Amino acid sequence: MTDLSVLDLVPIREGGTVAAAMTDAAALAQCAERAGYKRFWVAEHHAMDGIAGGAAAVVLAHIGAATSTIRIGSGGIMLPNHNPFVIAEQFGTLDALYPGRIDLGLGRAPGADGRLGQALRKDLMRAAEYFPNDVVELRALFTGDLDLPLRATPGYGANVELWILGSSLFGASLAAALGLPYAFASHFAPDYLDQALELYRKQFRPSAALDQPHAMAAMTVIAADTDEEAVLLASSMDQSFVALRSGTPGRLKPPVPGYRQTLPPQSLAMLEHMRQAAAVGSPDTVRESIGRFVERTRADELIVAGATFDPAARHKSLELTVKALG
């Protein structure tokens, strides 16, 4: 069976709080650990009322304290928002706390709109241009393979697994050139999935970290006892996608029966487009959808995304998905 991992955005539910979202995330990570998932990743987003994972390293410290064996990491840290030295210290600290369990997925996108650059006191467009150099510097802060003027403590010598994340061909090319594992965000941006994986495998150069290409692809997965129940549960996530694309993001809303039937054609087309990297339904439906996706992508790992308004429903979804593929 292809290795399965979990991506969690630490959603804040309508009527809920940031504190509740943190508690839910830790409980979900414990569920994933019990069910046999390999990794539990959280993503850096900023200035979004419905997502509580902006301080990803702090969230991961919380997740690590609640778990004992599952790998934990960022999916990802948006490196242009930061400087490599601080990230080396943060993830070096995480490795000291939870040795041998830390992943550091790195992305180039800012994770918010242009106002974020002002808030961070950074020129994010220019910072994004330096992304390849910053990745090389960050790796050297862990490994010492470049002669840098300062040594990060914590950081130097930390056993942190670096990943490159992407939703275009740029990240695939960089991951291949640096000999790093690559994760594609096909759960929300499926357009370049096949091209990116082909490019990554074709151009991959072995490194000290990895001797052959290793690719992960993301899917939205909501499993329930029946197709109808899964579609209903997924309507909370559908509402979030529509709100985000229309410029009105908010907190995760309760499910709405027949939600898709209420949408204008352009919104429905957007949701259907993203469903090419999704598995929503009963265990049989999920098994068939994931099987087709793995056959198409030949992914070494899958990372499953997706939020439900009721936290217990996502726990059950993770459990049913493992059983369906077992």
Side-chain angles (χ1 to χ4, degrees), residues 86-105:
V86 169
I87 297 302
E89 290 181 325
Q90 290 177 0
F91 280 76
T93 300
L94 288 169
D95 178 68
L97 291 170
Y98 312 113
R101 295 176 56 198
I102 304 302
D103 299 331
L104 174 50

PDB file of all heavy atoms in Angstrom, residues 86-105:
ATOM      1  N   VAL A  86      16.469  31.718  11.078  1.00  0.00           N
ATOM      2  CA  VAL A  86      15.405  31.564  12.082  1.00  0.00           C
ATOM      3  C   VAL A  86      14.676  30.229  11.896  1.00  0.00           C
ATOM      4  O   VAL A  86      14.357  29.549  12.880  1.00  0.00           O
ATOM      5  CB  VAL A  86      14.430  32.751  12.007  1.00  0.00           C
ATOM      6  CG1 VAL A  86      13.190  32.484  12.850  1.00  0.00           C
ATOM      7  CG2 VAL A  86      15.114  34.022  12.471  1.00  0.00           C
ATOM      8  N   ILE A  87      14.423  29.846  10.649  1.00  0.00           N
ATOM      9  CA  ILE A  87      13.758  28.556  10.403  1.00  0.00           C
ATOM     10  C   ILE A  87      14.651  27.406  10.848  1.00  0.00           C
ATOM     11  O   ILE A  87      14.167  26.403  11.409  1.00  0.00           O
ATOM     12  CB  ILE A  87      13.380  28.421   8.919  1.00  0.00           C
ATOM     13  CG1 ILE A  87      12.379  29.506   8.537  1.00  0.00           C
ATOM     14  CG2 ILE A  87      12.797  27.034   8.632  1.00  0.00           C
ATOM     15  CD1 ILE A  87      11.095  29.498   9.345  1.00  0.00           C
ATOM     16  N   ALA A  88      15.967  27.518  10.634  1.00  0.00           N
ATOM     17  CA  ALA A  88      16.887  26.478  11.113  1.00  0.00           C
ATOM     18  C   ALA A  88      16.810  26.351  12.631  1.00  0.00           C
ATOM     19  O   ALA A  88      16.806  25.235  13.179  1.00  0.00           O
ATOM     20  CB  ALA A  88      18.311  26.792  10.679  1.00  0.00           C
ATOM     21  N   GLU A  89      16.745  27.484  13.321  1.00  0.00           N
ATOM     22  CA  GLU A  89      16.626  27.435  14.778  1.00  0.00           C
ATOM     23  C   GLU A  89      15.310  26.802  15.211  1.00  0.00           C
ATOM     24  O   GLU A  89      15.279  25.970  16.137  1.00  0.00           O
ATOM     25  CB  GLU A  89      16.733  28.849  15.351  1.00  0.00           C
ATOM     26  CG  GLU A  89      18.115  29.460  15.254  1.00  0.00           C
ATOM     27  CD  GLU A  89      18.148  30.848  15.852  1.00  0.00           C
ATOM     28  OE1 GLU A  89      17.144  31.589  15.726  1.00  0.00           O
ATOM     29  OE2 GLU A  89      19.179  31.195  16.456  1.00  0.00           O
ATOM     30  N   GLN A  90      14.224  27.195  14.548  1.00  0.00           N
ATOM     31  CA  GLN A  90      12.911  26.667  14.928  1.00  0.00           C
ATOM     32  C   GLN A  90      12.839  25.161  14.733  1.00  0.00           C
ATOM     33  O   GLN A  90      12.396  24.419  15.633  1.00  0.00           O
ATOM     34  CB  GLN A  90      11.821  27.360  14.116  1.00  0.00           C
ATOM     35  CG  GLN A  90      11.604  28.816  14.469  1.00  0.00           C
ATOM     36  CD  GLN A  90      10.571  29.484  13.584  1.00  0.00           C
ATOM     37  OE1 GLN A  90      10.001  28.858  12.684  1.00  0.00           O
ATOM     38  NE2 GLN A  90      10.319  30.758  13.824  1.00  0.00           N
ATOM     39  N   PHE A  91      13.250  24.701  13.558  1.00  0.00           N
ATOM     40  CA  PHE A  91      13.127  23.270  13.271  1.00  0.00           C
ATOM     41  C   PHE A  91      14.257  22.468  13.910  1.00  0.00           C
ATOM     42  O   PHE A  91      14.087  21.271  14.182  1.00  0.00           O
ATOM     43  CB  PHE A  91      12.993  23.041  11.767  1.00  0.00           C
ATOM     44  CG  PHE A  91      11.583  23.290  11.289  1.00  0.00           C
ATOM     45  CD1 PHE A  91      11.102  24.580  11.150  1.00  0.00           C
ATOM     46  CD2 PHE A  91      10.721  22.228  11.056  1.00  0.00           C
ATOM     47  CE1 PHE A  91       9.791  24.820  10.766  1.00  0.00           C
ATOM     48  CE2 PHE A  91       9.405  22.452  10.676  1.00  0.00           C
ATOM     49  CZ  PHE A  91       8.936  23.752  10.536  1.00  0.00           C
ATOM     50  N   GLY A  92      15.384  23.098  14.191  1.00  0.00           N
ATOM     51  CA  GLY A  92      16.387  22.441  15.017  1.00  0.00           C
ATOM     52  C   GLY A  92      15.875  22.214  16.420  1.00  0.00           C
ATOM     53  O   GLY A  92      16.143  21.170  17.046  1.00  0.00           O
ATOM     54  N   THR A  93      15.121  23.167  16.935  1.00  0.00           N
ATOM     55  CA  THR A  93      14.497  23.007  18.254  1.00  0.00           C
ATOM     56  C   THR A  93      13.483  21.869  18.240  1.00  0.00           C
ATOM     57  O   THR A  93      13.456  21.033  19.161  1.00  0.00           O
ATOM     58  CB  THR A  93      13.810  24.321  18.666  1.00  0.00           C
ATOM     59  OG1 THR A  93      14.772  25.371  18.725  1.00  0.00           O
ATOM     60  CG2 THR A  93      13.133  24.178  20.019  1.00  0.00           C
ATOM     61  N   LEU A  94      12.657  21.834  17.197  1.00  0.00           N
ATOM     62  CA  LEU A  94      11.682  20.745  17.086  1.00  0.00           C
ATOM     63  C   LEU A  94      12.365  19.386  17.031  1.00  0.00           C
ATOM     64  O   LEU A  94      11.909  18.415  17.655  1.00  0.00           O
ATOM     65  CB  LEU A  94      10.805  20.952  15.853  1.00  0.00           C
ATOM     66  CG  LEU A  94       9.784  22.088  15.944  1.00  0.00           C
ATOM     67  CD1 LEU A  94       9.171  22.365  14.566  1.00  0.00           C
ATOM     68  CD2 LEU A  94       8.681  21.748  16.951  1.00  0.00           C
ATOM     69  N   ASP A  95      13.480  19.301  16.303  1.00  0.00           N
ATOM     70  CA  ASP A  95      14.209  18.031  16.223  1.00  0.00           C
ATOM     71  C   ASP A  95      14.783  17.646  17.579  1.00  0.00           C
ATOM     72  O   ASP A  95      14.833  16.461  17.929  1.00  0.00           O
ATOM     73  CB  ASP A  95      15.322  18.134  15.183  1.00  0.00           C
ATOM     74  CG  ASP A  95      16.145  16.859  15.098  1.00  0.00           C
ATOM     75  OD1 ASP A  95      15.598  15.826  14.651  1.00  0.00           O
ATOM     76  OD2 ASP A  95      17.316  16.885  15.514  1.00  0.00           O
ATOM     77  N   ALA A  96      15.230  18.628  18.356  1.00  0.00           N
ATOM     78  CA  ALA A  96      15.741  18.326  19.702  1.00  0.00           C
ATOM     79  C   ALA A  96      14.633  17.810  20.609  1.00  0.00           C
ATOM     80  O   ALA A  96      14.853  16.932  21.454  1.00  0.00           O
ATOM     81  CB  ALA A  96      16.396  19.576  20.300  1.00  0.00           C
ATOM     82  N   LEU A  97      13.421  18.354  20.422  1.00  0.00           N
ATOM     83  CA  LEU A  97      12.284  17.932  21.242  1.00  0.00           C
ATOM     84  C   LEU A  97      11.735  16.580  20.809  1.00  0.00           C
ATOM     85  O   LEU A  97      11.344  15.758  21.653  1.00  0.00           O
ATOM     86  CB  LEU A  97      11.177  18.987  21.157  1.00  0.00           C
ATOM     87  CG  LEU A  97      11.451  20.334  21.815  1.00  0.00           C
ATOM     88  CD1 LEU A  97      10.363  21.335  21.441  1.00  0.00           C
ATOM     89  CD2 LEU A  97      11.531  20.189  23.331  1.00  0.00           C
ATOM     90  N   TYR A  98      11.698  16.361  19.486  1.00  0.00           N
ATOM     91  CA  TYR A  98      11.068  15.153  18.926  1.00  0.00           C
ATOM     92  C   TYR A  98      12.015  14.542  17.892  1.00  0.00           C
ATOM     93  O   TYR A  98      11.761  14.586  16.691  1.00  0.00           O
ATOM     94  CB  TYR A  98       9.714  15.506  18.295  1.00  0.00           C
ATOM     95  CG  TYR A  98       8.862  16.356  19.204  1.00  0.00           C
ATOM     96  CD1 TYR A  98       8.564  17.683  18.885  1.00  0.00           C
ATOM     97  CD2 TYR A  98       8.373  15.842  20.410  1.00  0.00           C
ATOM     98  CE1 TYR A  98       7.809  18.470  19.732  1.00  0.00           C
ATOM     99  CE2 TYR A  98       7.622  16.630  21.266  1.00  0.00           C
ATOM    100  CZ  TYR A  98       7.339  17.941  20.926  1.00  0.00           C
ATOM    101  OH  TYR A  98       6.594  18.713  21.775  1.00  0.00           O
ATOM    102  N   PRO A  99      13.134  13.981  18.345  1.00  0.00           N
ATOM    103  CA  PRO A  99      14.201  13.564  17.419  1.00  0.00           C
ATOM    104  C   PRO A  99      13.742  12.502  16.427  1.00  0.00           C
ATOM    105  O   PRO A  99      12.995  11.577  16.770  1.00  0.00           O
ATOM    106  CB  PRO A  99      15.288  13.024  18.356  1.00  0.00           C
ATOM    107  CG  PRO A  99      14.607  12.751  19.662  1.00  0.00           C
ATOM    108  CD  PRO A  99      13.488  13.731  19.754  1.00  0.00           C
ATOM    109  N   GLY A 100      14.193  12.698  15.175  1.00  0.00           N
ATOM    110  CA  GLY A 100      13.912  11.729  14.129  1.00  0.00           C
ATOM    111  C   GLY A 100      12.496  11.768  13.599  1.00  0.00           C
ATOM    112  O   GLY A 100      12.095  10.893  12.838  1.00  0.00           O
ATOM    113  N   ARG A 101      11.729  12.816  13.947  1.00  0.00           N
ATOM    114  CA  ARG A 101      10.315  12.870  13.544  1.00  0.00           C
ATOM    115  C   ARG A 101       9.973  14.119  12.737  1.00  0.00           C
ATOM    116  O   ARG A 101       8.812  14.288  12.364  1.00  0.00           O
ATOM    117  CB  ARG A 101       9.419  12.838  14.785  1.00  0.00           C
ATOM    118  CG  ARG A 101       9.478  11.555  15.609  1.00  0.00           C
ATOM    119  CD  ARG A 101       8.625  11.681  16.869  1.00  0.00           C
ATOM    120  NE  ARG A 101       7.242  12.038  16.560  1.00  0.00           N
ATOM    121  CZ  ARG A 101       6.381  12.549  17.440  1.00  0.00           C
ATOM    122  NH1 ARG A 101       6.768  12.816  18.673  1.00  0.00           N
ATOM    123  NH2 ARG A 101       5.141  12.837  17.078  1.00  0.00           N
ATOM    124  N   ILE A 102      10.951  14.983  12.434  1.00  0.00           N
ATOM    125  CA  ILE A 102      10.633  16.312  11.921  1.00  0.00           C
ATOM    126  C   ILE A 102      10.862  16.416  10.418  1.00  0.00           C
ATOM    127  O   ILE A 102      11.946  16.110   9.900  1.00  0.00           O
ATOM    128  CB  ILE A 102      11.463  17.392  12.639  1.00  0.00           C
ATOM    129  CG1 ILE A 102      11.236  17.312  14.149  1.00  0.00           C
ATOM    130  CG2 ILE A 102      11.104  18.775  12.108  1.00  0.00           C
ATOM    131  CD1 ILE A 102       9.788  17.472  14.593  1.00  0.00           C
ATOM    132  N   ASP A 103       9.819  16.883   9.720  1.00  0.00           N
ATOM    133  CA  ASP A 103       9.881  17.200   8.290  1.00  0.00           C
ATOM    134  C   ASP A 103       9.776  18.715   8.126  1.00  0.00           C
ATOM    135  O   ASP A 103       9.037  19.379   8.862  1.00  0.00           O
ATOM    136  CB  ASP A 103       8.709  16.561   7.526  1.00  0.00           C
ATOM    137  CG  ASP A 103       8.682  15.047   7.621  1.00  0.00           C
ATOM    138  OD1 ASP A 103       9.760  14.439   7.763  1.00  0.00           O
ATOM    139  OD2 ASP A 103       7.574  14.481   7.546  1.00  0.00           O
ATOM    140  N   LEU A 104      10.490  19.226   7.135  1.00  0.00           N
ATOM    141  CA  LEU A 104      10.428  20.656   6.831  1.00  0.00           C
ATOM    142  C   LEU A 104      10.137  20.821   5.346  1.00  0.00           C
ATOM    143  O   LEU A 104      11.033  20.759   4.505  1.00  0.00           O
ATOM    144  CB  LEU A 104      11.737  21.344   7.219  1.00  0.00           C
ATOM    145  CG  LEU A 104      11.920  22.821   6.845  1.00  0.00           C
ATOM    146  CD1 LEU A 104      10.727  23.655   7.274  1.00  0.00           C
ATOM    147  CD2 LEU A 104      13.207  23.362   7.468  1.00  0.00           C
ATOM    148  N   GLY A 105       8.852  20.961   5.027  1.00  0.00           N
ATOM    149  CA  GLY A 105       8.442  21.221   3.655  1.00  0.00           C
ATOM    150  C   GLY A 105       8.494  22.714   3.378  1.00  0.00           C
ATOM    151  O   GLY A 105       7.975  23.511   4.156  1.00  0.00           O
TER     152      GLY A 105
END
